[in-house]
Amino acid sequence: MPKINRLTLTALVLTGLAAGAAPAAADSAEHAVVVKHTAIAGSSRAGETSASATVYCPEKTHLTGGGFDGSHGRDFSLLYSRPTEDGKGWTAAIGYHGTAKETVSVTAYAVCESE
């Protein structure tokens, strides 16, 4: 199997995430791993519901990037997508501001590399 450097792997993972690809709970290639966590919330009124998800890198790895996937459309908005305060994972949140009853979901992805 050909070796994949960290920059190439990160680009491939983020390209896949942007295209809507959802990796398995832990996909590995060489020394990198992508982990994910999904959160779902129901809604009954505008502006009252959000969903947030946080995922951490496994032991003996460190964060090299991250991203999210979630509910989309004109009534949903990204609240945040960023590294956790301790720099060991990724966190993201989606808000719902429509009037119909909807389900709000967000998946946070962390791209981690072996130390």
Side-chain angles (χ1 to χ4, degrees), residues 36-42 49-55 67-72 76-82 90-96 103-109:
K36 74 176 186 174
H37 175 72
T38 301
I40 300 173
T49 299
S50 64
S52 63
T54 301
V55 62
F68 78 98
D69 187 21
S71 302
H72 60 279
F76 295 94
S77 59
L78 173 65
L79 301 176
Y80 56 83
S81 176
R82 61 181 179 244
W90 200 266
T91 185
I94 298 286
Y96 175 69
T103 299
V104 180
S105 68
V106 63
T107 301
Y109 297 90

